[in-house]
Amino acid sequence: LAANLKSRPDRYRTALAGQTLAMVFEKSSTRTRVSFEVGMYQLGGIATFLSSRDIQIGRGEPISDTAKVLSRYVNGIMARTFAHSTVTGLAQHATVPVINGLTDLLHPCQALADYFTTREKFGHTRGLTLAYVGDGNNMCHSLMFGGPKVGMNVRVATPEGYRPKAEIVAMARQDAAAAGTTVEVVSAPRDAVKGAHVVYTDVFASMGQEAEATVRLKAFAGYQVSPELMALADKDAVFMHCLPCHRGEEVHADVVDGPASVVFDEAENRLHVQKAIMLMLMHR
């Protein structure tokens, strides 16, 4: 569906005509806000932006009340929050679809765009390997969940103390076993990257972790995706990053700005994939 939306957008120009998406933002974002807002416009609907200053969750209103009230006004809710329980609480009490635009636990919309981009670049996903190097964060979690669903192996390299959550790894491995793929967690970046088709990283200090930045930079020394590390991957490997990136920290400028980088294709594909999500959930 995302591919159809990307290649023939005019066919869907009125698909969500008259519908409204509420966008709840506790965390600021360039890509998430613009892609959902523009996506709704391109589908014929409208999106309304609600920051933490605009809604009453932060002022003591129960999430259940917010979900029920928004459900009376809009046709869908997209939430980008800190606590994962905020999104699940909205979903539990809303009577309209709720989309996880990002939480501290998961970032599924980005992972969908990443695997869609992989399919574009290689023509398929089955049998390919994605290597993730860096912090075992929400991005890492969603990539581990997504890989088995599209027939890909996932190898994660993180330092001790920054591993992905054990329960997420266990669930992803169950999915992998059912799909005939693998999910591995290792310490050495070279062990993850060797022969990989996609090399992925994210910032070492995510939003809300700024106070830990100095400690994290020291902990992640040796985990930068450099040209030397990329050279260990498959000869046709691509580099991915969910952005924003810090050149000289988690990735060398020669990599993110080099010929193997598809980071801006990924960013564009957030629009097409999220339009597909909204269409599947909200089309009547």
Side-chain angles (χ1 to χ4, degrees), residues 44-90:
I46 62 170
T48 182
F49 174 81
L50 300 168
S51 74
S52 55
R53 297 184 298 276
D54 300 319
I55 58 175
Q56 304 299 317
I57 291 176
R59 298 186 179 93
E61 181 173 63
I63 291 173
S64 57
D65 288 5
T66 298
K68 291 171 184 176
V69 169
L70 286 177
S71 296
R72 301 293 180 101
Y73 296 144
V74 302
N75 307 99
I77 300 168
M78 186 281 296
R80 181 178 170 93
T81 69
F82 287 95
H84 191 69
S85 59
T86 302
V87 167
T88 56
L90 287 169

Side-chain angles (χ1 to χ4, degrees), residues 18-47:
Q19 296 205 47
T20 303
L21 177 75
M23 304 191 305
V24 177
F25 279 84
E26 290 182 349
K27 291 186 176 186
S28 60
S29 168
T30 301
R31 281 149 292 275
T32 300
R33 178 176 179 177
V34 176
S35 56
F36 272 107
E37 200 163 314
V38 170
M40 273 301 285
Y41 173 77
Q42 291 181 356
L43 293 170
I46 62 170

Side-chain angles (χ1 to χ4, degrees), residues 32 80 101-103 105-111 138-139 142 270:
T32 300
R80 181 178 170 93
L102 173 143
T103 69
L105 184 68
L106 297 170
H107 197 355
C109 289
Q110 179 67 53
N138 51 3
M139 197 64 255
S142 285
R270 287 286 300 277

Side-chain angles (χ1 to χ4, degrees), residues 263-274:
V263 298
F264 298 112
D265 294 327
E266 283 177 89
E268 177 191 337
N269 283 336
R270 287 286 300 277
L271 172 66
H272 309 302
V273 167
Q274 286 160 189

Side-chain angles (χ1 to χ4, degrees), residues 172-230:
R173 282 178 172 161
Q174 284 185 337
D175 291 346
T181 66
T182 58
V183 172
E184 302 173 71
V185 179
V186 299
S187 296
R190 62 185 298 112
D191 291 340
V193 170
K194 188 175 181 180
H197 303 88
V198 179
V199 179
Y200 202 115
T201 193
D202 193 5
V203 294
F204 292 154
S206 298
M207 199 174 297
Q209 298 173 333
E210 288 81 2
E212 304 173 32
T214 302
V215 173
R216 282 174 166 267
L217 281 176
K218 188 177 294 185
F220 287 100
Y223 283 80
Q224 182 188 88
V225 178
S226 62
E228 294 75 22
L229 188 63
M230 280 296 297

Side-chain angles (χ1 to χ4, degrees), residues 23 110 112 122 144 149 263:
M23 304 191 305
Q110 179 67 53
L112 280 167
F122 292 94
M144 287 195 300
K149 292 177 174 63
V263 298

